[in-house]
Amino acid sequence: MGVLLSEGGALDFILWRHADAEDGVPDDARKLTVKGEKQAQQVGQWLKSHLPQSARILVSPAKRAHQTANALGLEFEITKQVGTGASVKSVIEAAGWPDAKGAVVVVGHQPTLGRLAAALLSGVEAEWSVKKSEVWWFSNRSHDDETQTILRAVMSPEFL
């Protein structure tokens, strides 16, 4: 399998919602269910086979996000900037979008990831749904002196 990293040194911005988690409180202590562990492994295997080794991985402080990110088998950084209740602005700032180079994976939550996906594609935050353990892979490129956002892939565990 080939790496999906875009050409020209642009940023690949990969949104990965945490896998299925148990109900309960406190919210940040919720763990993945057996189904969620399977989802994380399936998507993590696919994602790892496509990511460049130098990818930055930013993970919410929530336990379910750590467990999801662990499926990649790569080092990651825990930051509140992508945690539960994070704003679209804080996630964009943490990732360095659109000016950073390379690939950044954000393991986070709804509704933030859906709002971010909407903002990246339409320029306006909206209540879009990113399903559990789903990956949305964006790239940016310059075309006619304009920066464009491209949706390169959407992957759900049920397709793996």
Side-chain angles (χ1 to χ4, degrees):
M1 299 224 163
V3 172
L4 287 177
L5 186 67
S6 60
E7 306 87 31
L11 177 64
D12 282 320
F13 195 9
I14 300 132
L15 309 180
W16 187 11
R17 183 177 176 195
H18 68 78
D20 189 62
E22 61 190 20
D23 293 329
V25 289
D27 185 51
D28 278 355
R30 294 172 43 215
K31 298 178 192 172
L32 294 184
T33 62
V34 171
K35 176 183 177 181
E37 290 174 8
K38 182 178 177 184
Q39 289 173 333
Q41 287 300 317
Q42 289 172 313
V43 175
Q45 184 177 13
W46 176 84
L47 190 55
K48 188 173 181 179
S49 72
H50 290 86
L51 278 179
Q53 293 213 348
S54 62
R56 283 181 58 218
I57 303 163
L58 305 175
V59 180
S60 161
K63 176 127 182 122
R64 60 195 180 276
H66 299 181
Q67 291 177 300
T68 299
N70 279 333
L72 279 173
L74 301 171
E75 289 187 29
F76 56 83
E77 175 186 339
I78 297 167
T79 176
K80 290 181 182 179
Q81 284 185 280
V82 303
T84 55
S87 69
V88 166
K89 181 181 180 200
S90 73
V91 176
I92 287 172
E93 287 174 355
W97 179 266
D99 301 318
K101 304 293 182 219
V104 176
V105 178
V106 171
V107 182
H109 308 273
Q110 273 296 93
T112 306
L113 295 182
R115 291 175 183 154
L116 179 52
L120 291 172
L121 288 177
S122 73
V124 178
E125 287 184 37
E127 299 303 316
W128 288 12
S129 177
V130 174
K131 294 185 177 187
K132 291 181 181 167
S133 205
E134 199 168 67
V135 170
W136 288 47
W137 189 311
F138 297 90
S139 293
N140 66 3
R141 70 174 184 185
S142 291
H143 184 72
D144 295 332
D145 295 324
E146 180 181 320
T147 299
Q148 298 177 337
T149 300
I150 302 158
L151 178 60
R152 295 177 54 95
V154 175
M155 185 56 62
S156 295
E158 61 263 21
F159 289 106
L160 297 172

Coordinates of all heavy atoms in Angstrom, one line a residue, residues 47-135:
L47 N -4.7 3.0 8.6 CA -4.1 4.3 8.7 C -2.6 4.2 8.8 O -1.9 4.9 8.1 CB -4.6 5.1 9.9 CG -4.3 6.5 10.1 CD1 -4.7 7.3 8.8 CD2 -5.0 7.1 11.3
K48 N -2.0 3.3 9.6 CA -0.6 3.2 9.7 C 0.1 2.8 8.4 O 1.2 3.2 8.1 CB -0.2 2.1 10.8 CG 1.2 2.1 11.1 CD 1.5 1.2 12.3 CE 3.0 1.2 12.6 NZ 3.3 0.3 13.7
S49 N -0.6 2.0 7.6 CA -0.1 1.5 6.3 C 0.0 2.7 5.3 O 0.7 2.6 4.3 CB -0.9 0.4 5.7 OG -2.1 0.8 5.3
H50 N -0.7 3.8 5.6 CA -0.8 4.9 4.7 C 0.0 6.2 5.2 O 0.2 7.1 4.4 CB -2.2 5.3 4.3 CG -2.9 4.3 3.5 ND1 -3.5 3.2 4.0 CD2 -3.1 4.2 2.2 CE1 -4.0 2.4 3.1 NE2 -3.8 3.0 1.9
L51 N 0.2 6.2 6.5 CA 0.9 7.4 7.0 C 2.4 7.4 6.8 O 3.0 6.3 6.9 CB 0.7 7.4 8.6 CG -0.6 7.9 9.1 CD1 -0.6 7.8 10.6 CD2 -0.9 9.4 8.7
P52 N 2.9 8.6 6.6 CA 4.4 8.7 6.6 C 4.9 8.5 8.1 O 4.1 8.8 9.0 CB 4.7 10.1 6.1 CG 3.5 10.8 6.4 CD 2.3 9.9 6.3
Q53 N 6.1 8.0 8.3 CA 6.6 7.7 9.6 C 6.7 9.0 10.4 O 6.7 9.0 11.7 CB 7.9 6.9 9.6 CG 7.7 5.6 9.0 CD 8.7 4.6 9.7 OE1 9.6 5.0 10.3 NE2 8.4 3.3 9.5
S54 N 6.9 10.1 9.8 CA 7.1 11.4 10.5 C 5.8 12.1 10.9 O 5.8 13.2 11.4 CB 7.9 12.3 9.6 OG 7.2 12.6 8.4
A55 N 4.7 11.4 10.7 CA 3.4 12.1 11.1 C 3.3 12.4 12.6 O 3.8 11.7 13.4 CB 2.2 11.1 10.7
R56 N 2.8 13.6 12.8 CA 2.5 14.0 14.2 C 1.1 13.5 14.6 O 0.2 13.6 13.8 CB 2.5 15.6 14.3 CG 3.8 16.2 14.3 CD 3.7 17.7 14.5 NE 2.9 18.1 15.7 CZ 2.1 19.1 15.7 NH1 1.8 19.9 14.7 NH2 1.5 19.5 16.8
I57 N 1.0 13.0 15.8 CA -0.3 12.5 16.2 C -0.7 13.2 17.5 O 0.0 13.1 18.5 CB -0.2 10.9 16.4 CG1 0.2 10.3 15.1 CG2 -1.6 10.4 16.9 CD1 0.8 8.9 15.3
L58 N -1.8 13.9 17.4 CA -2.3 14.7 18.5 C -3.6 14.0 19.0 O -4.5 13.8 18.3 CB -2.7 16.1 18.1 CG -1.5 16.9 17.4 CD1 -2.1 18.3 16.9 CD2 -0.4 17.1 18.3
V59 N -3.6 13.8 20.3 CA -4.7 12.9 20.9 C -5.3 13.7 22.1 O -4.7 14.3 22.9 CB -4.1 11.6 21.4 CG1 -5.2 10.7 22.0 CG2 -3.5 10.9 20.2
S60 N -6.6 13.6 22.1 CA -7.4 14.1 23.3 C -7.0 13.4 24.6 O -6.6 12.3 24.6 CB -8.9 13.8 23.0 OG -9.7 13.8 24.2
P61 N -7.1 14.1 25.7 CA -6.8 13.5 27.0 C -7.8 12.4 27.4 O -7.5 11.7 28.4 CB -6.9 14.7 28.0 CG -6.8 15.9 27.2 CD -7.3 15.6 25.8
A62 N -8.9 12.3 26.7 CA -9.9 11.2 27.1 C -9.3 9.8 26.9 O -8.7 9.5 25.9 CB -11.1 11.4 26.3
K63 N -9.6 8.9 27.8 CA -9.1 7.5 27.8 C -9.4 6.8 26.5 O -8.6 6.2 25.9 CB -9.7 6.7 29.0 CG -9.3 5.3 29.0 CD -8.6 4.9 30.3 CE -8.2 3.5 30.3 NZ -6.8 3.4 30.5
R64 N -10.7 7.0 26.0 CA -11.1 6.3 24.8 C -10.3 6.8 23.6 O -10.1 6.0 22.6 CB -12.6 6.5 24.5 CG -13.1 8.0 24.4 CD -14.6 8.0 24.5 NE -15.1 9.4 24.4 CZ -15.2 10.3 25.4 NH1 -14.7 10.0 26.6 NH2 -15.7 11.5 25.2
A65 N -9.8 8.1 23.6 CA -9.0 8.6 22.5 C -7.6 8.0 22.6 O -7.0 7.6 21.5 CB -8.9 10.1 22.5
H66 N -7.0 7.8 23.8 CA -5.7 7.2 24.0 C -5.8 5.8 23.4 O -4.9 5.3 22.7 CB -5.3 7.1 25.4 CG -5.2 8.4 26.1 ND1 -4.8 8.4 27.4 CD2 -5.3 9.6 25.8 CE1 -4.7 9.7 27.8 NE2 -5.1 10.4 26.8
Q67 N -6.8 5.0 23.8 CA -7.0 3.6 23.4 C -7.1 3.5 21.9 O -6.5 2.6 21.3 CB -8.2 3.0 24.1 CG -8.0 2.8 25.6 CD -9.2 2.2 26.2 OE1 -10.3 2.8 26.1 NE2 -9.1 1.0 26.8
T68 N -7.8 4.4 21.3 CA -7.9 4.5 19.8 C -6.6 4.7 19.2 O -6.1 4.0 18.3 CB -8.9 5.5 19.4 OG1 -10.2 5.2 20.0 CG2 -9.1 5.6 17.9
A69 N -5.9 5.7 19.7 CA -4.5 6.1 19.1 C -3.5 5.0 19.3 O -2.6 4.8 18.5 CB -4.0 7.4 19.7
N70 N -3.6 4.2 20.4 CA -2.7 3.1 20.7 C -2.7 2.1 19.6 O -1.7 1.4 19.4 CB -3.0 2.5 22.0 CG -2.4 3.2 23.2 OD1 -1.4 3.9 23.1 ND2 -3.1 3.1 24.3
A71 N -3.8 2.0 18.8 CA -3.9 1.0 17.8 C -2.9 1.3 16.6 O -2.6 0.4 15.9 CB -5.4 1.0 17.2
L72 N -2.5 2.5 16.5 CA -1.5 2.8 15.5 C -0.1 2.3 15.9 O 0.7 2.0 15.0 CB -1.3 4.4 15.4 CG -2.3 5.1 14.5 CD1 -2.1 6.6 14.7 CD2 -2.3 4.6 13.1
G73 N 0.2 2.1 17.2 CA 1.5 1.6 17.6 C 2.6 2.7 17.4 O 3.7 2.3 17.2
L74 N 2.2 3.9 17.4 CA 3.2 5.0 17.2 C 3.1 6.0 18.4 O 2.0 6.0 19.1 CB 2.8 5.8 15.9 CG 2.9 5.0 14.6 CD1 2.3 5.8 13.5 CD2 4.3 4.5 14.3
E75 N 4.1 6.8 18.6 CA 4.1 7.8 19.7 C 3.1 8.8 19.3 O 2.9 9.2 18.2 CB 5.5 8.3 19.9 CG 6.5 7.4 20.5 CD 7.8 8.0 20.8 OE1 7.8 9.3 21.1 OE2 8.8 7.3 20.8
F76 N 2.5 9.4 20.4 CA 1.5 10.5 20.2 C 1.6 11.5 21.3 O 2.2 11.2 22.4 CB 0.1 10.0 20.0 CG -0.4 9.1 21.1 CD1 -1.0 9.7 22.3 CD2 -0.4 7.7 21.0 CE1 -1.5 8.9 23.3 CE2 -1.0 6.9 22.0 CZ -1.5 7.5 23.1
E77 N 1.1 12.7 21.0 CA 1.1 13.8 22.0 C -0.3 14.0 22.5 O -1.2 14.1 21.7 CB 1.6 15.0 21.3 CG 1.6 16.3 22.1 CD 1.9 17.5 21.2 OE1 2.6 17.4 20.2 OE2 1.5 18.6 21.6
I78 N -0.5 14.1 23.8 CA -1.8 14.3 24.4 C -1.9 15.8 24.6 O -1.0 16.5 25.1 CB -1.9 13.6 25.7 CG1 -1.9 12.1 25.5 CG2 -3.2 14.0 26.4 CD1 -1.7 11.3 26.8
T79 N -3.0 16.4 24.1 CA -3.3 17.8 24.2 C -4.7 18.1 24.4 O -5.6 17.6 23.6 CB -2.7 18.6 23.0 OG1 -3.0 20.0 23.2 CG2 -3.2 18.1 21.7
K80 N -5.0 19.0 25.3 CA -6.4 19.5 25.5 C -6.9 20.2 24.3 O -8.2 20.4 24.2 CB -6.5 20.4 26.8 CG -6.3 19.6 28.1 CD -6.4 20.6 29.3 CE -6.1 19.8 30.5 NZ -6.2 20.7 31.7
Q81 N -6.1 20.7 23.5 CA -6.5 21.5 22.3 C -7.4 20.7 21.4 O -8.1 21.2 20.5 CB -5.3 22.0 21.5 CG -4.6 23.2 22.2 CD -3.5 23.8 21.3 OE1 -2.4 23.3 21.3 NE2 -3.9 24.9 20.6
V82 N -7.3 19.3 21.5 CA -8.2 18.5 20.6 C -9.1 17.6 21.5 O -9.7 16.6 21.0 CB -7.3 17.6 19.7 CG1 -6.4 18.4 18.8 CG2 -6.5 16.6 20.5
G83 N -9.2 17.9 22.8 CA -10.0 17.2 23.7 C -11.5 17.4 23.6 O -12.0 18.1 22.7
T84 N -12.3 16.8 24.5 CA -13.7 16.9 24.5 C -14.0 18.4 24.7 O -13.4 19.1 25.5 CB -14.4 16.1 25.6 OG1 -13.8 16.5 26.9 CG2 -14.2 14.6 25.4
G85 N -15.0 18.9 23.9 CA -15.4 20.3 24.0 C -14.4 21.2 23.3 O -14.6 22.5 23.4
A86 N -13.4 20.7 22.6 CA -12.4 21.6 21.9 C -13.1 22.4 20.8 O -14.1 21.9 20.2 CB -11.3 20.8 21.3
S87 N -12.6 23.6 20.5 CA -13.2 24.4 19.4 C -12.5 24.0 18.1 O -11.3 23.5 18.1 CB -13.0 25.8 19.7 OG -11.6 26.2 19.6
V88 N -13.1 24.3 17.0 CA -12.5 24.1 15.7 C -11.2 24.9 15.7 O -10.2 24.4 15.2 CB -13.5 24.5 14.6 CG1 -12.8 24.6 13.3 CG2 -14.6 23.5 14.5
K89 N -11.2 26.1 16.2 CA -10.0 27.0 16.2 C -8.9 26.3 16.9 O -7.7 26.4 16.4 CB -10.4 28.3 16.8 CG -9.2 29.3 16.7 CD -9.6 30.6 17.4 CE -8.4 31.6 17.3 NZ -8.4 32.6 18.3
S90 N -9.1 25.7 18.1 CA -8.0 25.2 18.8 C -7.4 23.9 18.2 O -6.2 23.7 18.2 CB -8.5 24.8 20.3 OG -9.3 23.7 20.3
V91 N -8.3 23.2 17.5 CA -7.7 22.0 16.7 C -6.9 22.5 15.6 O -5.8 21.9 15.3 CB -8.9 21.1 16.3 CG1 -8.4 19.9 15.4 CG2 -9.7 20.5 17.5
I92 N -7.4 23.4 14.8 CA -6.6 24.0 13.7 C -5.3 24.5 14.2 O -4.2 24.3 13.6 CB -7.5 25.1 13.0 CG1 -8.6 24.4 12.2 CG2 -6.6 25.9 12.0 CD1 -9.6 25.3 11.5
E93 N -5.3 25.3 15.3 CA -4.0 25.8 15.8 C -3.1 24.7 16.2 O -1.9 24.8 16.0 CB -4.3 26.8 17.0 CG -4.9 28.1 16.6 CD -5.4 28.9 17.7 OE1 -5.3 28.5 18.9 OE2 -5.8 30.1 17.5
A94 N -3.6 23.7 16.9 CA -2.7 22.6 17.4 C -2.1 21.9 16.2 O -0.9 21.5 16.2 CB -3.5 21.6 18.2
A95 N -2.8 21.7 15.1 CA -2.3 21.0 13.9 C -1.4 21.9 13.0 O -0.6 21.4 12.2 CB -3.5 20.5 13.1
G96 N -1.6 23.2 13.2 CA -0.8 24.1 12.3 C -1.4 24.3 10.9 O -0.7 24.7 10.0
W97 N -2.6 24.0 10.7 CA -3.3 24.0 9.4 C -3.5 25.5 9.0 O -3.8 26.3 9.8 CB -4.7 23.4 9.5 CG -5.5 23.4 8.3 CD1 -6.4 24.4 7.9 CD2 -5.4 22.5 7.2 NE1 -6.9 24.1 6.7 CE2 -6.3 23.0 6.2 CE3 -4.7 21.4 6.9 CZ2 -6.5 22.3 5.0 CZ3 -4.9 20.7 5.7 CH2 -5.8 21.2 4.8
P98 N -3.2 25.8 7.8 CA -2.8 25.0 6.7 C -1.3 25.1 6.4 O -0.8 24.7 5.4 CB -3.6 25.6 5.5 CG -3.6 27.1 5.8 CD -3.7 27.1 7.3
D99 N -0.5 25.8 7.3 CA 0.8 26.2 7.0 C 1.9 25.1 7.3 O 3.0 25.2 6.8 CB 1.2 27.5 7.7 CG 0.3 28.6 7.3 OD1 0.0 28.7 6.1 OD2 -0.2 29.3 8.2
A100 N 1.6 24.2 8.2 CA 2.6 23.1 8.6 C 2.8 22.2 7.4 O 2.1 22.2 6.4 CB 2.1 22.3 9.8
K101 N 3.9 21.5 7.5 CA 4.3 20.5 6.4 C 4.2 19.1 7.0 O 4.3 18.9 8.2 CB 5.7 20.8 5.9 CG 5.9 22.2 5.4 CD 5.2 22.5 4.2 CE 5.5 23.9 3.7 NZ 4.3 24.6 3.1
G102 N 3.9 18.1 6.1 CA 3.9 16.8 6.6 C 2.5 16.3 6.8 O 1.6 16.7 6.1
A103 N 2.3 15.5 7.8 CA 1.0 14.9 8.2 C 0.7 15.1 9.7 O 1.6 14.9 10.5 CB 0.9 13.4 7.8
V104 N -0.5 15.4 10.0 CA -0.9 15.5 11.4 C -2.2 14.7 11.5 O -3.2 14.9 10.7 CB -1.2 17.0 11.8 CG1 -1.8 17.1 13.2 CG2 0.0 17.8 11.7
V105 N -2.2 13.8 12.5 CA -3.4 13.0 12.8 C -4.0 13.6 14.1 O -3.3 13.8 15.1 CB -3.1 11.5 13.0 CG1 -4.4 10.8 13.4 CG2 -2.4 11.0 11.8
V106 N -5.3 13.9 14.1 CA -6.0 14.3 15.3 C -7.0 13.2 15.7 O -7.9 12.9 15.0 CB -6.7 15.7 15.1 CG1 -7.6 16.0 16.3 CG2 -5.7 16.8 14.8
V107 N -6.8 12.7 16.9 CA -7.7 11.7 17.5 C -8.6 12.4 18.5 O -8.1 12.8 19.5 CB -7.0 10.5 18.1 CG1 -8.0 9.5 18.6 CG2 -6.0 9.9 17.1
G108 N -9.8 12.7 18.1 CA -10.7 13.5 18.9 C -12.2 13.1 18.9 O -12.5 11.9 18.8
H109 N -13.1 14.0 19.0 CA -14.5 13.8 19.3 C -15.4 14.6 18.5 O -15.1 15.6 17.9 CB -14.7 14.3 20.8 CG -13.7 13.7 21.8 ND1 -13.9 12.5 22.4 CD2 -12.5 14.2 22.2 CE1 -12.8 12.2 23.2 NE2 -12.0 13.3 23.1
Q110 N -16.7 14.1 18.5 CA -17.8 14.8 18.0 C -18.3 15.8 19.1 O -18.1 15.4 20.3 CB -18.9 13.9 17.6 CG -18.9 13.3 16.2 CD -19.0 14.4 15.2 OE1 -18.0 14.9 14.7 NE2 -20.2 14.7 14.8
P111 N -18.8 16.9 18.8 CA -19.1 17.4 17.5 C -18.0 18.2 16.8 O -18.1 18.6 15.7 CB -20.3 18.3 17.7 CG -20.1 18.9 19.1 CD -19.4 17.7 19.9
T112 N -16.9 18.3 17.6 CA -15.8 19.1 17.0 C -15.3 18.7 15.7 O -15.1 19.5 14.8 CB -14.6 19.2 18.0 OG1 -15.1 19.6 19.3 CG2 -13.5 20.1 17.6
L113 N -15.0 17.3 15.5 CA -14.5 16.9 14.3 C -15.5 17.1 13.1 O -15.0 17.4 12.0 CB -14.1 15.4 14.4 CG -13.0 15.1 15.3 CD1 -12.6 13.6 15.3 CD2 -11.7 15.9 15.1
G114 N -16.7 16.9 13.3 CA -17.7 17.2 12.3 C -17.8 18.6 11.9 O -17.8 19.0 10.7
R115 N -17.7 19.5 12.9 CA -17.7 20.9 12.6 C -16.4 21.3 11.8 O -16.5 22.2 10.9 CB -17.7 21.7 13.9 CG -19.1 21.6 14.6 CD -19.1 22.3 16.0 NE -20.4 22.1 16.6 CZ -20.5 22.2 17.9 NH1 -19.5 22.4 18.7 NH2 -21.7 22.0 18.5
L116 N -15.3 20.7 12.2 CA -14.0 21.0 11.5 C -14.1 20.5 10.1 O -13.6 21.2 9.2 CB -12.9 20.3 12.3 CG -11.5 20.5 11.7 CD1 -11.1 21.9 11.5 CD2 -10.5 19.9 12.7
A117 N -14.6 19.3 9.9 CA -14.7 18.8 8.5 C -15.6 19.7 7.6 O -15.2 20.0 6.5 CB -15.3 17.4 8.5
A118 N -16.7 20.2 8.2 CA -17.5 21.1 7.5 C -16.8 22.4 7.2 O -16.8 22.9 6.0 CB -18.8 21.4 8.3
A119 N -16.0 22.9 8.1 CA -15.3 24.2 7.9 C -14.2 24.0 6.9 O -14.0 24.9 6.0 CB -14.7 24.7 9.2
L120 N -13.5 22.9 6.9 CA -12.5 22.7 5.9 C -13.0 22.6 4.5 O -12.4 23.0 3.5 CB -11.7 21.4 6.2 CG -10.8 21.4 7.5 CD1 -10.3 20.1 7.8 CD2 -9.7 22.5 7.4
L121 N -14.2 21.9 4.3 CA -14.7 21.7 3.0 C -15.6 22.9 2.5 O -15.7 23.2 1.3 CB -15.5 20.4 2.9 CG -14.6 19.2 2.9 CD1 -15.5 17.9 2.9 CD2 -13.6 19.2 1.7
S122 N -16.3 23.5 3.4 CA -17.3 24.5 3.0 C -16.9 26.0 3.4 O -17.5 26.9 3.0 CB -18.7 24.2 3.5 OG -18.8 24.4 4.9
G123 N -16.0 26.0 4.3 CA -15.6 27.4 4.9 C -16.5 27.8 6.0 O -16.3 28.9 6.6
V124 N -17.5 27.0 6.4 CA -18.4 27.3 7.5 C -18.6 26.1 8.4 O -18.8 25.0 7.9 CB -19.8 27.7 6.9 CG1 -20.8 28.0 7.9 CG2 -19.7 28.9 5.9
E125 N -18.5 26.4 9.7 CA -18.8 25.3 10.6 C -20.3 24.9 10.5 O -21.1 25.7 10.4 CB -18.5 25.7 12.1 CG -17.1 25.9 12.4 CD -16.8 26.2 13.9 OE1 -17.6 25.7 14.8 OE2 -15.9 27.0 14.1
A126 N -20.5 23.6 10.5 CA -21.9 23.0 10.5 C -21.9 21.7 11.3 O -20.8 21.1 11.5 CB -22.3 22.8 9.0
E127 N -23.0 21.2 11.6 CA -23.1 20.0 12.4 C -23.1 18.8 11.5 O -24.1 18.1 11.3 CB -24.5 20.0 13.2 CG -24.5 21.2 14.2 CD -23.4 21.2 15.2 OE1 -23.0 20.2 15.7 OE2 -22.9 22.3 15.4
W128 N -21.9 18.4 11.0 CA -21.7 17.2 10.2 C -21.3 16.1 11.2 O -20.8 16.3 12.2 CB -20.5 17.4 9.2 CG -20.9 18.3 8.1 CD1 -22.0 19.1 7.9 CD2 -20.1 18.5 6.9 NE1 -21.9 19.8 6.8 CE2 -20.8 19.5 6.1 CE3 -18.9 18.0 6.5 CZ2 -20.3 19.9 4.9 CZ3 -18.4 18.5 5.2 CH2 -19.1 19.4 4.4
S129 N -21.6 14.9 10.7 CA -21.4 13.7 11.5 C -20.1 13.0 11.1 O -20.0 12.6 9.9 CB -22.6 12.7 11.5 OG -22.3 11.6 12.2
V130 N -19.2 12.8 12.0 CA -18.0 11.9 11.8 C -18.3 10.7 12.7 O -18.4 10.8 13.9 CB -16.7 12.5 12.1 CG1 -15.6 11.5 12.0 CG2 -16.5 13.7 11.2
K131 N -18.5 9.5 12.1 CA -18.9 8.3 12.9 C -17.7 7.8 13.7 O -16.6 8.1 13.4 CB -19.4 7.2 11.9 CG -20.7 7.6 11.3 CD -21.3 6.5 10.4 CE -22.6 7.0 9.9 NZ -23.3 5.9 9.2
K132 N -18.1 7.0 14.7 CA -17.0 6.4 15.6 C -16.0 5.6 14.8 O -16.3 4.8 13.9 CB -17.7 5.5 16.6 CG -18.5 6.4 17.6 CD -19.1 5.6 18.7 CE -19.9 6.6 19.6 NZ -20.8 5.9 20.5
S133 N -14.7 5.9 15.1 CA -13.5 5.4 14.5 C -13.4 5.7 13.0 O -12.6 5.1 12.3 CB -13.5 3.8 14.7 OG -12.1 3.4 14.6
E134 N -14.1 6.6 12.5 CA -14.0 7.1 11.1 C -12.8 8.0 10.9 O -12.5 8.8 11.8 CB -15.3 7.7 10.7 CG -15.5 7.8 9.2 CD -17.0 8.2 8.9 OE1 -17.3 9.4 9.2 OE2 -17.7 7.4 8.4
V135 N -12.2 7.9 9.8 CA -11.1 8.8 9.4 C -11.5 9.7 8.2 O -12.0 9.2 7.3 CB -9.8 8.0 9.0 CG1 -8.7 8.9 8.4 CG2 -9.3 7.2 10.2

